[in-house]
Amino acid sequence: KENALSDNTVTLGDSARRYKNLYLSGGAYIGGTAAANYLDDYEEGTWTPQLDSGVGTPSYSEQHGRYTKIGRQVMAFFWMELNGGSPTGDNLRIINLPFTNVNDGKSYQVTTGYVNSSAGFGTTLTFILFPNETRLRAYQQGTTGVTQLTGSNLGNSFSFLGRVLYFVE
């Protein structure tokens, strides 16, 4: 009972005697008591990436998405393989991200990604997540600048792998 009112003196467990689970009705302050140290949200889950533009009537052989959300930060991974559809000249967009990107007018998030295409696509690919959106827009880096990546650039058989880190309100 003496330690209940003292500061920074009680340790729960140690390397040989660990606690198994911790159940809280609220959050936890980690490394300090300021608002920035308060962790009140942790979540893992799945989502289904799909195209809403760039390919008419797409058919998929693979659609996988996983995410981890810690506080306001979201890390989303995706793998999508398209095996049919009608390529168009519209910008390719992947929809259904699990959370909406922060709406501050300047949080444009860029993915790390990979594309494999039957059309011999050979320039650098990136997806950009605009503020206040849940869709990724595809872009390509050429020798003279950045342009939107379209279904016509890739054909009707391609795959995307990627990861995006972004923040929510």
Side-chain angles (χ1 to χ4, degrees):
K1 184 138 176 145
E2 290 177 17
N3 289 335
L5 298 178
S6 61
D7 182 33
N8 202 22
T9 60
V10 178
T11 299
L12 295 176
D14 59 37
S15 62
R17 290 175 292 279
R18 299 171 294 157
Y19 284 83
K20 182 176 178 182
N21 293 306
L22 177 64
Y23 299 92
L24 301 172
S25 62
Y29 287 93
I30 300 172
T33 58
N37 299 82
Y38 188 63
L39 177 62
D40 63 345
D41 186 17
Y42 179 90
E43 180 179 336
E44 294 181 6
T46 61
W47 63 287
T48 304
Q50 69 183 66
L51 296 174
D52 79 334
S53 179
V55 177
T57 318
S59 64
Y60 306 92
S61 55
E62 301 289 344
Q63 289 175 277
H64 303 284
R66 295 202 54 77
Y67 71 88
T68 302
K69 181 177 182 286
I70 303 172
R72 294 182 54 233
Q73 180 177 287
V74 179
M75 173 75 77
F77 300 89
F78 58 92
W79 170 31
M80 177 182 5
E81 286 187 18
L82 190 81
N83 62 6
S86 303
T88 71
D90 296 329
N91 181 231
L92 284 164
R93 294 187 310 230
I94 296 176
I95 60 171
N96 296 337
L97 279 168
F99 301 94
T100 302
N101 190 24
V102 67
N103 187 22
D104 64 2
K106 52 192 165 208
S107 290
Y108 294 86
Q109 306 306 325
V110 178
T111 66
T112 301
Y114 167 81
V115 63
N116 185 18
S117 168
S118 62
F121 177 75
T123 58
T124 303
L125 162 79
T126 193
F127 286 94
I128 299 176
L129 175 60
F130 283 66
N132 200 35
E133 289 197 2
T134 58
R135 63 184 178 187
L136 298 165
R137 301 177 194 198
Y139 290 87
Q140 59 184 329
Q141 175 70 54
T143 56
T144 59
V146 177
T147 58
Q148 290 185 345
L149 181 67
T150 70
S152 300
N153 297 125
L154 298 179
N156 64 357
S157 177
F158 55 85
S159 61
F160 293 130
L161 299 170
R163 172 185 69 198
V164 62
L165 176 67
Y166 64 104
F167 290 89
V168 298
E169 297 289 344

